[in-house]
Amino acid sequence: MKTVKSESSVRTLSRALSILKAFTWESREMNLTEISEKISLAKSTTLRLLTALEEEGFIYKNPKTNHYKLGFDLYYLGLIAKESMDIRSVSRPHMENITHQTRETTNLYLLDYHDRVCFEQVESPMAIKRTVRIGERFPIWAGATGRSILAFMDRSVWVEMTKELVKLTEYTVAEPEDFIQELEKIRQQGYAVSVGEKDYEVGCVAAPIFDSTQKVIGCLSVSGPKFRFPEDTDLFAKLITDAADKISRKLGYHTRSNGQIE
């Protein structure tokens, strides 16, 4: 009997949570019908759950429109979660997994104005490897790490950065028109690749990390010696983009329904 009651309680909790998760950036307010259809539950069941959530402060019902939206108590809990979130602890397991699979160094960079700063690193176990110092700073116009961040910033910053372009190696993208085209490509595919652009003997794949305000705050990258870096970077790109996406979601980021960055 206790088992049946316990299973029923878990199911009720799961349904209540599905209501909260039904709200998105595009659907911030919904009526009863919209919510019940979205979570595939009968209106009567949905209404009971909404009433319970409203009593706890997790849902607010507008008495004039009969539309529901997320309540203040949920917002308060979100602020607590945000302040408790440590990007290093969130990122570290993903970084260790990438290094384990690629045998190359994985880095976490954070954006500081127009620089990217190395915040965390998992070193390659190989004798010859690419490493950087924690705290190393470099402009975001250079290399895959910087461009993976810059590509998701406002385009006015792109133009500003074209004024700083210089040739670091023969492979550096330093022509303004080519630079803008490269940023467009990165923005479309979701990651950046560079081989010998910033450091002649280094290859790198990087993907952006976003926070709960939908803004890019840094990137995740995997890099290694050019002689060992794969010509086909699909595996590296998938590992990096998947991990960056999971980290972003842990930080509260959710994509728009059309997939566009605003």
Side-chain angles (χ1 to χ4, degrees):
M1 183 66 68
K2 287 184 178 180
T3 301
V4 173
K5 185 176 181 180
S6 176
E7 290 178 352
S8 177
S9 298
V10 171
R11 184 170 62 253
T12 299
L13 176 60
S14 177
R15 287 175 171 178
L17 292 174
S18 70
I19 288 178
L20 298 178
K21 293 170 70 174
F23 290 87
T24 65
W25 285 102
E26 292 77 21
S27 303
R28 301 181 200 184
E29 292 192 24
M30 294 182 286
N31 59 33
L32 175 61
T33 300
E34 291 170 331
I35 296 173
S36 65
E37 290 178 351
K38 204 165 186 179
I39 64 174
S40 301
L41 282 179
K43 286 185 181 180
S44 56
T45 303
T46 304
L47 181 59
R48 286 199 302 272
L49 292 170
L50 282 168
T51 300
L53 289 169
E54 185 180 6
E55 290 175 353
E56 295 296 330
F58 294 148
I59 287 289
Y60 171 76
K61 181 181 179 181
N62 188 321
K64 294 182 179 180
T65 64
N66 286 327
H67 280 205
Y68 297 88
K69 63 181 181 180
L70 297 178
F72 178 78
D73 280 6
L74 197 62
Y75 172 73
Y76 176 66
L77 291 176
L79 289 177
I80 295 175
K82 180 180 178 182
E83 290 302 316
S84 302
M85 190 66 69
D86 178 0
I87 190 171
R88 181 181 280 109
S89 62
V90 168
S91 304
R92 184 79 188 188
H94 297 290
M95 297 172 68
E96 291 175 347
N97 177 59
I98 291 170
T99 292
H100 175 72
Q101 294 198 52
T102 64
R103 311 292 285 176
E104 302 295 356
T105 298
T106 306
N107 286 303
L108 169 67
Y109 292 93
L110 295 183
L111 176 64
D112 183 13
Y113 187 53
H114 290 165
D115 289 345
R116 57 106 179 107
V117 181
C118 185
F119 191 69
E120 181 67 306
Q121 180 174 246
V122 177
E123 289 190 18
S124 164
M126 306 296 283
I128 301 176
K129 55 192 171 187
R130 164 62 171 168
T131 61
V132 298
R133 298 187 310 275
I134 300 297
E136 180 192 77
R137 176 184 297 266
F138 211 84
I140 54 175
W141 59 261
T145 53
R147 290 204 304 270
S148 70
I149 298 172
L150 177 59
F152 294 88
M153 296 176 70
D154 191 271
R155 284 180 169 82
S156 63
V157 184
W158 298 9
V159 176
E160 187 177 346
M161 290 296 98
T162 60
K163 301 172 185 177
E164 298 187 16
L165 300 177
V166 295
K167 278 279 188 182
L168 300 175
T169 75
E170 61 184 288
Y171 301 110
T172 303
V173 181
E175 291 297 325
E177 185 176 339
D178 295 338
F179 183 75
I180 296 297
Q181 289 180 355
E182 177 67 12
L183 291 176
E184 292 283 7
K185 177 183 176 182
I186 294 168
R187 190 167 180 135
Q188 182 176 17
Q189 69 184 12
Y191 63 92
V193 179
S194 68
V195 180
E197 289 188 41
K198 178 178 168 290
D199 300 289
Y200 185 78
E201 297 296 337
V202 175
C204 179
V205 178
I209 293 174
F210 303 89
D211 67 5
S212 60
T213 67
Q214 316 298 298
K215 292 183 179 180
V216 63
I217 60 169
C219 74
L220 198 65
S221 74
V222 58
S223 57
K226 184 178 178 180
F227 74 86
R228 199 168 60 222
F229 207 71
E231 291 187 15
D232 184 348
T233 59
D234 286 353
L235 174 60
F236 281 26
K238 178 172 175 49
L239 289 171
I240 284 294
T241 54
D242 285 353
D245 180 64
K246 289 175 182 177
I247 293 169
S248 296
R249 290 180 181 278
K250 283 284 188 179
L251 297 176
Y253 171 74
H254 293 282
T255 55
R256 307 289 185 177
S257 61
N258 59 9
Q260 296 296 311
I261 304 299
E262 298 186 354

